[in-house]
Amino acid sequence: DVQLQASGGGLVQAGGSLRLSCAASGITFDDYAIGWFRQVPGKEREVVACSSSSDGTTYYTDSVKGRFTISRNNVKNSVYLQMNSLKPEDTAIYYCAAQSRPYISGTYRDPSKYDYWGQGTQVTVSS
């Protein structure tokens, strides 16, 4: 079975940091681009960052550029999201997802184009 296990969420004050982890099993990790998404109640799930496997390319949504960093360890089948300078508007459930291609495609923003999803981890930033 394919599993993506997201962890690392929690409660933090504005300006603080958290590091999310996503551990994958049951897939050939090198063959997948990995994305981090977030969702708040009543809103659509939005991409936060995405990492390719083939060439190290990364993408970030504008609101997190300069604050969040996505990285991956293909030996450990894991992807990380380092979140610094957190803001209350970053509060959401964060999900990791895997898309079955090693590069970032033009569909990286579209949640429906991802093949596997983790269970989500709650991030709450207090003001």
Side-chain angles (χ1 to χ4, degrees):
D1 290 349
V2 177
Q3 285 193 338
L4 297 178
Q5 184 72 34
S7 62
L11 173 63
V12 64
Q13 289 188 331
S17 299
L18 284 173
R19 186 186 191 224
L20 306 184
S21 298
C22 176
S25 60
I27 59 174
T28 304
F29 194 67
D30 291 2
D31 291 342
Y32 286 77
I34 304 295
W36 281 101
F37 288 75
R38 64 187 179 188
Q39 189 170 24
V40 297
K43 292 191 176 181
E44 293 185 352
R45 194 168 294 190
E46 65 168 352
V47 69
V48 175
C50 189
S51 171
S52 77
S53 176
S54 58
D55 60 5
T57 301
T58 57
Y59 282 103
Y60 298 91
T61 194
D62 286 346
S63 62
V64 308
K65 286 180 180 176
R67 301 188 297 122
F68 291 11
T69 303
I70 188 171
S71 61
R72 62 190 292 160
N73 184 326
N74 285 352
V75 174
K76 295 185 176 181
N77 286 5
S78 294
V79 175
Y80 309 97
L81 186 68
Q82 179 66 43
M83 305 186 296
N84 298 330
S85 302
L86 282 161
K87 303 176 181 180
E89 51 264 43
D90 295 317
T91 295
I93 300 175
Y94 283 71
Y95 300 88
C96 58
Q99 190 179 59
S100 59
R101 58 194 71 191
Y103 55 90
I104 296 177
S105 74
T107 61
Y108 77 95
R109 293 184 183 89
D110 185 348
S112 72
K113 302 301 183 183
Y114 285 75
D115 302 279
Y116 302 106
W117 288 85
Q119 83 286 5
T121 184
Q122 176 72 47
V123 171
T124 303
V125 184
S126 64
S127 57

